[in-house]
Amino acid sequence: MIDQLIFLPISSSVSMVDTKSSSEKGSLLYPYGTHQGDETNPKHYDGTSEEITLSVPFTFYGKTYQTVFVNNNGVISFDEPVKQYTPDPFPLVDGHPFVAPYWADGDNVLGGDIFYCQTTNPVLLEDISQDISHYFPKSPFTTTWALVATWDHVAYCGSTSEKGNTFQAVLTTDSKMFYIIFNY
C-alpha cells in the first residue's frame, strides 16, 4: 500500500515511492491544524481558500506560479480556483493546471476541515528534505520552503455518517528542484 507519493513535476516523468511507514513516525502526515498556525478554509460546499500569494515562486511543468488556491474538492490549483466537484479527464478543457491529491465531491460543511500553510519551519523542512533525499539519493535536496495543505476527515457529498477522508499535499522547493508529496 502506498502511504506517500512523491512527484517530480519539472520533468515529463513521474516517480512514486512508498514512504513514512506508521512504525517510523507517529503519523503518515506532516503536522497540521490551527495549533500549528495553519489557515482554515471556510465551510462552503465547493468552496476554496482565498488566493494564496506564494512567498516562494513554484515551478510546475516548466511554468512558474506566484499564486495557488486550496480547493475544498481536494485539489490545489494554480492562479485560479477549481470549484467544480465532478472530476473530469486530464487535461481540463479550460487548461487550468492543478495538483489533485484526491479530487472528489467533498463537503466540509457536513464534516471535516481543510488546513494550509506556507512554512520555513526548520524542523518541518528537515523532515521533508529527509523524506525526499531518502528516495532520491542521487539528487541532494534541502528544502527552503513548503506549502502544506491537509484535508482532515472531510465528508463526502450527501454523507450521513461520520466517515471522511484525510489526505495531504505538500509543494516544496529548494529554488532549483520542485517536488510535490501526497500523504494518505
Side-chain angles (χ1 to χ4, degrees):
M1 173 173 208
I2 294 178
D3 297 320
Q4 183 178 60
L5 300 176
I6 298 178
F7 287 86
L8 291 170
I10 59 171
S11 69
S12 59
S13 64
V14 177
S15 299
M16 293 190 308
V17 295
D18 180 7
T19 66
K20 279 192 169 180
S21 73
S22 56
S23 62
E24 292 175 335
K25 301 198 180 199
S27 172
L28 298 175
L29 306 177
Y30 296 111
Y32 66 91
T34 54
H35 61 283
Q36 296 291 326
D38 289 2
E39 299 291 327
T40 305
N41 271 17
K43 298 248 183 210
H44 291 124
Y45 181 62
D46 292 339
T48 185
S49 68
E50 296 290 324
E51 181 177 55
I52 302 165
T53 301
L54 301 177
S55 58
V56 173
F58 192 82
T59 301
F60 183 66
Y61 283 102
K63 185 173 178 192
T64 301
Y65 296 93
Q66 302 286 335
T67 61
V68 297
F69 291 83
V70 175
N71 302 275
N72 293 0
N73 60 7
V75 303
I76 298 174
S77 56
F78 297 94
D79 290 339
E80 60 185 77
V82 174
K83 292 184 177 183
Q84 68 194 68
Y85 64 88
T86 304
D88 287 329
F90 295 116
L92 292 181
V93 173
D94 64 13
H96 293 110
F98 63 92
V99 176
Y102 189 80
W103 191 8
D105 196 6
D107 188 349
N108 68 334
V109 174
L110 295 174
D113 291 295
I114 299 150
F115 302 100
Y116 64 90
C117 72
Q118 295 185 70
T119 186
T120 57
N121 175 303
V123 174
L124 180 54
L125 295 182
E126 176 63 22
D127 285 347
I128 294 168
S129 296
Q130 285 180 2
D131 287 342
I132 292 171
S133 294
H134 178 78
Y135 289 96
F136 299 96
K138 293 182 182 179
S139 300
F141 183 79
T142 302
T143 189
T144 55
W145 168 91
L147 172 92
V148 180
T150 308
W151 291 259
D152 182 40
H153 292 92
V154 174
Y156 55 90
C157 180
S159 175
T160 58
S161 75
E162 293 184 19
K163 293 180 181 177
N165 289 308
T166 299
F167 52 96
Q168 188 174 69
V170 180
L171 281 62
T172 191
T173 185
D174 64 0
S175 297
K176 296 177 194 120
M177 296 289 295
F178 299 85
Y179 288 88
I180 297 172
I181 303 169
F182 292 166
N183 293 322
Y184 300 94

